[in-house]
Amino acid sequence: MATQTLIYLFVGLSFALYIGIAIWSRAASTSEFYVAGGGVNPVVNGMATAADWMSAASFLSMAGLIAFMGYDGSVYLMGWTGGYVMLALLLAPYLRKFGQFTVPDFIGTRYYSNVARTVAVVCLIFISFTYIAGQMRGVGIVFSRFLEVDVTLGVIIGMGIVFFYAVLGGMKGITYTQVAQYCVLIFAYLVPAIFISLLATGNPVPQLGLGSDLADGSGTSVLQKLDSSLVEMGFPAYTDGSKSMVDVSCITAALMIGTAGLPHVIVRFFTVPKASDARKSAGWALVFIALLYTTAPAVSAFARLNFNESVSDTRYAETPDWFRNWEANGLIAWRDKNGDGVMQYEAGDAFEGAPEYTPGGIGVSGERLLDNAATDNANEVYVDRDIMVLANPEIANLPGWVIALVAAGGLAAALSTAAGLLLVISTAVSHDLLKSTFRPQISEKGELLAARVAATAAIVVAGILGIYPPGWVAQVVAFAFGLAAASLFPAIFMGIFSTRMNREGAIAGMVTGLAFTFLYIAWFKLWAPELNTAEHWLFGISPEGIGVVGMLLNFAVAITVARLTAPPPPEVDALVENIRVPRGAGTAHAH
């Protein structure tokens, strides 16, 4: 069976499965729409949490970034994995015991203020829309290549699928859909990794294959070969880092702390029956997440090695089919700068930004005409980093069914997180703004309708952000984590562990952290991208890591304002003390 037919079959069957589950588990009440009725098994919830958390950034873009950043890309592995541990230990069980099933609800109740709740909603919407832009771009990339449609049309198709099962099924439908999506995405990630590791090193375990010798009899290890080939082409060695220790530390910390403040992950711990189940589901989620995250470094190294060997010094007329397939979508490109018909792949940008094609134009060497080739270096090849995981099976000449499985997995990863984020946005509007703040008398039926209308509007905005994304998928997601670290995390953390923190301090801290971090990111990424270099950064910290500074500002402002204003009322003190005491704990006894 032709590869393209297999792709249509695998993607079609996976979509039919997701839609079927959404119909079977349709939400009939606000409790089922928001938290799946609160009765999900911890193991099932752990798998759904893993799918919710492992987005297009984890599946598509993280390995691509590591493949091209090398050692510096490890910040994404360390930050996201460490952050989940922090979330499981520091926040999840306490928030679950508190009982309010949204982050703004916790903040509004803990800080006895509708203003605080509204500020939390604003923070949440900023974070969620920034995050969801990366997911919809991932959907567009997968559709554009594997279903042979335009990226824009691909995003629109993805919007339709998410609309159906997120708006219809709510959290109940999303939870069981995400279990199916996790199974699809983890098989789609592991199967090609096992194949490629076996072909390259003879070791079927990718994690061990990364440190093994190549199977060509040279006695050279995978990383030694990668280092030497990159240095020959003028790139830094794969195992060397170029980022400063300050920036690496800040990016890692921002990703960790941001993970602990992500609303679509936190809400997952309210779908289980009790606080102890929240801990169990967090542990199971970590197991399911580790399967992919321990494999990612091997996938990255094998992908870059195969890409280098397949492209460098290859005549364009002899390029394999995979290159032409991705070139047709504008996600890889070549411009014959010296007219020799051979692809020179070296350090430097081949084009000024993304390649811009002359419609229908064909150059003398056979390549499509590109209008914006960079002339200050000899590099002739452009590759979109987000395609590396998807292209890897094709580059390695794996069977068609593996390529089809990866296509279905990429869509599962992007759609699962997009659905969770859309639900968080709709819940923030319908429950936190309408029900809890502006229209407390609204009926349950009216609240459910408002949630679905808000989810529909959010899907439209998400689609626009997917069509016009502000960066690589993982970069965009890193900004969302920075915003979460700078705004919501301090308010949640102090709300649990500080009886002195009051509403004035929390509100001032959230506004300060969010405003500072957003303006810093926007300045270097949107308004003055030409200044986005280490010498212009504050303390040498990149936009990806600035969330740590925003968090520190949040803490400093919140603590200062709290000390200058009235303390919380006694009932709030009692509430905080109750959150921190395990249910059923007895008094201490002397021995």
Side-chain angles (χ1 to χ4, degrees), residues 25-46:
S25 57
R26 178 174 179 171
S29 66
T30 52
S31 174
E32 289 184 344
F33 190 90
Y34 294 144
V35 290
V40 180
N41 181 277
V43 179
V44 172
N45 194 58

Side-chain angles (χ1 to χ4, degrees), residues 524-574:
F524 286 112
K525 290 296 181 178
L526 300 177
W527 303 328
E530 70 279 1
L531 300 178
N532 190 23
T533 55
E535 59 266 25
H536 295 108
W537 296 337
L538 181 66
F539 308 126
I541 301 172
S542 65
E544 288 84 356
I546 200 63
V548 170
V549 179
M551 177 200 69
L552 294 176
L553 284 174
N554 186 329
F555 273 116
V557 170
I559 292 170
T560 301
V561 172
R563 294 297 175 190
L564 298 175
T565 50
E571 59 269 23
V572 172
D573 287 347

Side-chain angles (χ1 to χ4, degrees), residues 395-417:
I395 298 172
N397 292 314
L398 297 186
W401 67 267
V402 179
I403 297 170
L405 182 62
V406 170
L411 288 171
L415 293 176
S416 63
T417 302

Side-chain angles (χ1 to χ4, degrees), residues 8-325:
Y8 286 129
L9 180 64
F10 276 49
V11 172
L13 288 174
S14 65
F15 278 8
L17 176 63
Y18 306 153
I19 292 171
I21 291 172
I23 294 172
W24 166 72
S25 57
R26 178 174 179 171
S29 66
T30 52
S31 174
E32 289 184 344
F33 190 90
Y34 294 144
V35 290
V40 180
N41 181 277
V43 179
V44 172
N45 194 58
M47 195 175 291
T49 304
D52 204 352
W53 189 71
M54 289 193 298
S55 62
S58 293
F59 188 95
L60 297 179
S61 191
M62 181 175 65
L65 278 178
I66 297 171
F68 286 91
M69 293 173 67
Y71 178 84
D72 286 338
S74 62
V75 295
Y76 292 95
L77 286 169
M78 295 185 296
W80 283 334
T81 310
Y84 191 82
V85 176
M86 181 185 291
L87 171 62
L89 293 176
L90 283 183
L91 304 185
Y94 303 108
L95 289 172
R96 178 62 187 84
K97 188 179 178 185
F98 186 80
Q100 303 292 344
F101 58 77
T102 71
V103 171
D105 236 5
F106 167 79
I107 290 175
T109 304
R110 163 60 183 85
Y111 295 113
Y112 48 97
S113 168
N114 281 336
V115 175
R117 178 184 282 109
T118 304
V119 171
V121 169
V122 173
C123 294
L124 182 149
I125 290 174
F126 261 94
I127 295 162
S128 298
F129 274 127
T130 305
Y131 202 156
I132 209 169
Q135 311 316 309
M136 299 314 293
R137 171 172 163 77
V139 171
I141 288 173
V142 178
F143 273 120
S144 69
R145 163 62 190 92
F146 291 114
L147 300 188
E148 299 179 339
V149 298
D150 181 72
V151 173
T152 301
L153 179 58
V155 171
I156 293 171
I157 295 171
M159 289 164 58
I161 298 294
V162 173
F163 170 83
F164 191 89
Y165 71 79
V167 175
L168 180 67
M171 180 58 84
K172 186 178 179 183
I174 286 171
T175 295
Y176 295 104
T177 302
Q178 285 175 336
V179 171
Q181 287 169 328
Y182 176 79
C183 295
V184 172
L185 76 86
I186 200 65
F187 276 109
Y189 205 84
L190 294 180
V191 168
I194 291 168
F195 264 104
I196 294 171
S197 180
L198 193 59
L199 289 172
T201 68
N203 193 325
V205 182
Q207 293 88 338
L208 300 178
L210 178 62
S212 301
D213 290 344
L214 292 167
D216 57 7
S218 64
T220 305
S221 71
V222 172
L223 293 176
Q224 286 174 336
K225 174 69 173 178
L226 194 49
D227 277 348
S228 62
S229 64
L230 288 173
V231 170
E232 286 176 10
M233 292 186 287
F235 294 99
Y238 190 78
T239 54
D240 287 345
S242 59
K243 286 184 175 291
S244 68
M245 184 60 68
V246 170
D247 196 29
V248 167
S249 300
C250 286
I251 294 174
T252 303
L255 295 174
M256 286 181 64
I257 298 161
T259 298
L262 282 181
H264 75 293
V265 176
I266 290 174
V267 75
R268 275 258 149 244
F269 299 107
F270 294 98
T271 63
V272 292
K274 52 187 185 291
S276 61
D277 291 332
R279 285 192 188 276
K280 292 176 185 176
S281 64
W284 278 109
L286 196 56
V287 171
F288 295 130
I289 288 167
L291 287 175
L292 188 146
Y293 267 60
T294 57
T295 309
V299 171
S300 306
F302 290 133
R304 186 66 187 275
L305 191 59
N306 289 336
F307 179 81
N308 292 350
E309 294 178 349
S310 181
V311 169
S312 183
D313 295 328
T314 300
R315 296 193 65 81
Y316 182 76
E318 300 169 1
T319 51
D321 290 340
W322 73 264
F323 191 96
R324 304 298 179 94
N325 291 337

